[in-house]
Amino acid sequence: MIVACDGAARGNPGPAGFGVHITDGHGETIAEIAEGIGVATNNVAEYTGVVRALALARELGASEVELLLDSLLIVEQLHGRWRVKDAKLIPLHAEARRLLVGFRRW
């Protein structure tokens, strides 16, 4: 499955939300999510989208996921190349890593 997700906040922090688009790898849409999450930072919105996307991909039976993200921070933190210093991101990062373990490849 190909999992594209993004998050944003108007102001930082400010009203925030995320969007997820999951396809089967052949361009067919399998699922989409778009939700507001209240007042949050951009990074919290981005991570929330990743966590929700991974949980949904797992629920849909994916064994492998290709993540399409535009957040260098999240990409580098998920790969373990950058530390997670922001206390608000630590639990979201931990949940994303926990979910990634359930996939054969990501």
Side-chain angles (χ1 to χ4, degrees), residues 71-83 93:
S71 171
L72 182 61
L73 176 80
I74 292 177
V75 169
E76 295 300 322
Q77 287 178 339
L78 289 178
H79 280 289
R81 293 185 287 257
W82 291 3
R83 290 188 338 221
H93 174 265

Side-chain angles (χ1 to χ4, degrees), residues 24-56:
D24 64 2
H26 303 291
E28 291 296 318
T29 298
I30 296 173
E32 292 180 318
I33 306 171
E35 288 183 15
I37 60 170
V39 174
T41 65
N42 187 65
N43 290 334
V44 167
E46 294 264 8
Y47 255 114
T48 301
V50 170
V51 167
R52 290 291 308 279
L54 292 172
L56 181 56

